[in-house]
């Protein structure tokens, strides 16, 4: 019987449909209820969990009421009252009835015996879920950490994986994406070890959400697709609906409206059938966004209002915040600035508004105030927006610094461990040699001499190795410190200019408020681009870049990019030409990344080439691989600068010094992308009098 229960518990995570079938077969062993039997009780608990996961809420509720009626007979099971309360709470939370769920969880926490550690941790996990649902993220974080501290000593991997996933979601909502990704990866690794399909699906879903936040849509779509396939196999209607909703969001952000609408409609249908108002409100908010993209603003507003009503009824604070931002976007699109401002002020006064939400609201507030001509207040909103964004990136910087410190300490400990292991191995080898040499007589002295020489050389080599590693570590830290100093300088410059402009408008020194506002927007855009480039370059350093290689018609890709740049070049009377020498135009690469490289090169050429200058783009494809080169006319770059222009934040002297609002990271990012493709990029003097940049990607062998 115990074996059957263990198998059912494992099957519940893998296939709740099949689990329910097996439970019904085992129920045939009991002609009548036997509440005094532990096996019968555990069987009923598994049955209630399976029905809840499959969305059979009414049956699960009736089942739990019946089980609760047997409590007087089940007095020998000390954990039974708390177990039943927890199941009732989880069912209420699944139906978005947060008030009832919290009340039942408090009752369960009062009833659970102290020695039942796993059950206590399960109650805390559900409590953290309910607090997260109410946007009480700090409280939820502490509660789930308490749950982790309970199960970590007993090495309950299944629960640890589930709790890590929950903590990752909380950090995601708090805006700490690095911490979120770290705990989701921990959860995913454990779930893979346990072969828990539902757990794997949950981790893939949440990691996909982080990729979506980072605007890495192909990776996000890949994770959501895989999560949807697993969810469909397992049969949980809420999970299936949520995966459809996430895929709808990504398709919308990619501009794929029909696909977004199809997934949205499927998600809404499942959410309506489940009766979960919060999930339905979230699905409707996505549909409202689709209507906005289709410019069907009246329909979008009607849908958003329905979503808001459902979110308020369900007391789903985070969903309510999301829907209200959608409504603000609709009013701004309809030029209803007064309505938008009223809603923004109301939302800003709500408790537990995350920093990311707050920054978005301040940006919309500035946009509305500018449209109404209230420039002074628009500037104040922009200051608040900048402060919120700075706080977000400040937190991210602290996380990155902590990560670097942990990495250095890990390397140090690993190195110390290796040295100890080498010394132990050397001592063991010496001991074995001494044993073998006993009784050898005349050769003993020679052997000792050989061992002595060996030890001396070994120690000398080891010392050289330690010194080399120390030098490399010192160089690495020096480079990182220099990079951090350069980054601080680059951030300080636009911030100082932005501060001067804001102060000029505050004290009415700026004669033209409209021009002053435009200056502020340009500086914010410059600052935002700089921070994005710094973050992207850091991600590349950590090998976090994932290439989405597909067969691409490179000729068509380059022609499209050149056509997009023609209007920009025309503003300076510059010519932009494209030529090719190809055997075949198809090549396997990440089109989005290569587009980013060419955009960077052409943008630099436009900015730094003099008026009436010329730029040429050339494509060569043959058996050796793909070669793309850009060259432009006067002015050029000094020979000593050519080898350094791909270094991060390097400044060229003379006419090509950075004075066009760039981050100084563009060419460094280009080099990282090309190297990730297995290629190389170089700079040389152009025959036209400027700079020639050439990138080469060889053909990759088929796996």
């Amino acid at each position: 019987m115990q074996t059957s229960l263990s198998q059912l518990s494992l099957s519940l995570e893998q296939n709740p449909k099949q689990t329910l079938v097996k439970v019904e077969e085992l129920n045939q062993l009991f002609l009548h209820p036997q509440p005094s039997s532990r096996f019968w009780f555990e069987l009923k608990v598994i049955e209630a969990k399976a029905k809840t996961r499959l969305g059979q809420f009414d049956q699960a509720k009736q089942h739990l009421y019946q089980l609760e009626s047997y409590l007087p007979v089940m007095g020998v099971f000390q954990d039974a009252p708390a177990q039943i309360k927890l199941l009732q709470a989880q069912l209420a939370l699944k139906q978005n009835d947060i008030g009832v769920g919290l009340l039942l969880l408090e009752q369960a926490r009062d009833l659970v015996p102290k020695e039942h550690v796993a059950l206590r941790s399960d109650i805390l996990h559900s409590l953290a879920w309910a607090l997260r649902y109410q946007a009480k993220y700090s409280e939820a974080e502490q509660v789930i950490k308490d749950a982790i501290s309970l199960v970590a000593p007993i090495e309950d991997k299944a629960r640890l994986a589930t709790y890590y996933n929950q903590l990752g979601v909380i950090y995601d909502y708090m805006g700490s994406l690095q911490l979120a990704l770290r705990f989701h990866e921990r959860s995913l690794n454990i779930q893979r070890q346990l072969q828990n399909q539902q757990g794997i699906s949950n981790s893939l879903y949440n990691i996909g959400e982080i990729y979506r936040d980072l605007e890495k849509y192909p990776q996000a779509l890949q994770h959501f697709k895989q999560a949807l396939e697993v969810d469909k196999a397992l049969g949980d209607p809420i999970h299936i609906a949520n995966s459809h909703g996430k895929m709808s969001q990504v398709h919308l952000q990619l501009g794929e409206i029909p696909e977004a609408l199809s997934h949205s409609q499927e998600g809404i249908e499942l959410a309506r059938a489940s009766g979960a108002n919060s999930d339905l409100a979230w699905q409707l908010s996505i549909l409202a966004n689709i209507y906005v993209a289709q410019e069907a603003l009246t329909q979008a507003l009607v849908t958003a209002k329905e979503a808001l009503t459902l979110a308020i009824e369900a007391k789903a604070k985070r969903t309510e915040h999301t829907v209200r931002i959608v409504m603000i976007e609709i009013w701004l699109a309809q030029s209803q600035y007064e309505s938008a401002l009223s809603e923004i002020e109301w939302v800003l006064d709500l408790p537990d508004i995350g920093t990311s939400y707050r920054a978005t609201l301040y940006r919309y507030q500035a946009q509305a105030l500018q449209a109404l001509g209230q420039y002074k207040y628009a500037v104040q909103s922009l200051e608040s927006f900048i402060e919120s964004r700075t706080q977000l990136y400040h937190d991210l910087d602290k996380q990155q610094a902590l990560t670097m410190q942990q990495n250095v300490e890990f390397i140090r400990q690993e190195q110390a461990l290796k040295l100890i292991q080498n010394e132990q191995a050397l001592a063991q080898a010496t001991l074995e040699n001494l044993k073998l040499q006993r009784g050898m007589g005349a050769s003993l002295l020679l052997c000792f001499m050989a061992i002595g020489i060996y030890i001396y050389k070994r120690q000398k080599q080891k010392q050289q190795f330690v010194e080399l590693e120390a030098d490399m570590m010192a160089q690495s830290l020096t480079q990182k410190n220099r990079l951090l100093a350069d980054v601080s300088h680059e951030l300080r410059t636009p911030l100082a200019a932005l501060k001067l402009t804001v102060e000029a408008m505050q004290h009415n020194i700026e004669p033209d408020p409209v021009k002053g506002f435009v200056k502020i927007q340009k500086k914010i855009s410059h600052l935002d681009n700089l921070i994005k480039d710094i973050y992207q370059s850091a991600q590349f350093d950590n090998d976090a870049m994932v290439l989405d290689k597909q067969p691409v018609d490179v000729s068509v890709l380059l022609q499209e990019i050149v056509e997009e740049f023609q209007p920009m070049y025309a503003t300076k009377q510059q010519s932009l030409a494209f030529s090719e020498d190809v055997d075949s135009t198809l090549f396997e690469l990440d089109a989005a990344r290569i587009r980013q490289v060419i955009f960077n090169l052409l943008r630099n050429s436009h900015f730094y080439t003099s008026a009436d200058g010329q730029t040429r783009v050339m494509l060569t494809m043959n058996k050796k691989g793909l070669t793309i080169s850009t060259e432009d006319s006067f002015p050029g770059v000094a020979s000593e600068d050519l080898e350094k222009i791909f270094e991060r934040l390097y400044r060229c002297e003379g006419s090509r010094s950075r004075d066009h609002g760039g981050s100084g990271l563009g060419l460094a990012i280009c080099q990282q992308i090309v190297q990730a493709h297995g290629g190389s990029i170089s700079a040389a003097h152009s025959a036209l009098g400027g700079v020639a940049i050439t990138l080469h990607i060889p053909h990759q062998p088929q796996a």
Side-chain angles (χ1 to χ4, degrees), residues 530-570:
L530 175 60
I531 293 172
K532 286 181 180 177
D533 282 349
I534 292 170
Y535 181 71
Q536 186 179 28
S537 183
Q539 291 293 95
F540 291 163
D541 284 345
N542 293 328
D543 295 327
M545 178 168 56
V546 178
L547 296 180
D548 182 19
K549 288 187 176 182
Q550 301 286 344
V552 176
D553 191 323
V554 184
S555 177
V556 173
L557 176 65
L558 292 179
Q559 288 175 10
E560 290 177 352
I561 297 173
V562 169
E563 289 177 3
E564 291 178 31
F565 270 89
Q566 291 288 2
M568 180 187 293
Y569 273 70

Side-chain angles (χ1 to χ4, degrees), residues 8 11 15-28 43 46-47 50-51 54 56:
L8 284 173
S11 174
N15 192 334
K17 292 180 182 178
Q18 186 63 32
T19 302
L20 196 57
V21 172
K22 291 180 180 178
V23 168
E24 290 174 352
E25 291 175 358
L26 289 172
N27 277 334
Q28 302 302 318
L43 199 62
I46 293 173
E47 183 177 357
K51 288 180 177 179
L54 293 171
Q56 300 175 15

Side-chain angles (χ1 to χ4, degrees), residues 275 397 419 516 531 566 619 630:
D397 287 340
L419 291 174
I531 293 172
Q566 291 288 2
L619 167 65
T630 65

Side-chain angles (χ1 to χ4, degrees), residues 326-345:
V326 174
M327 295 183 67
I328 291 167
E329 291 172 350
I330 295 170
W331 281 323
L332 289 174
Q334 291 178 326
S335 300
Q336 296 185 27
Y337 302 116
E338 296 290 352
S339 299
L341 286 172
S342 175
E343 186 72 8
I344 289 169
E345 291 173 2

Side-chain angles (χ1 to χ4, degrees), residues 677-700:
H677 280 80
S680 60
I681 187 169
S682 60
H685 293 298
S686 167
L688 300 177
V691 179
I693 306 289
T694 302
L695 66 92
H696 175 73
I697 302 175
H699 283 290
Q700 300 295 323

Side-chain angles (χ1 to χ4, degrees), residues 108 123 133 180 278 393 428 543-544 574 606 659 670:
I123 295 170
Y133 190 86
S278 173
Y393 287 112
Q428 183 65 28
D543 295 327
Q574 297 168 331
H606 166 69
D659 57 357
C670 289

Side-chain angles (χ1 to χ4, degrees), residues 139 320 333 360 429 667:
E139 295 179 43
E320 179 186 344
T360 301
L667 289 178

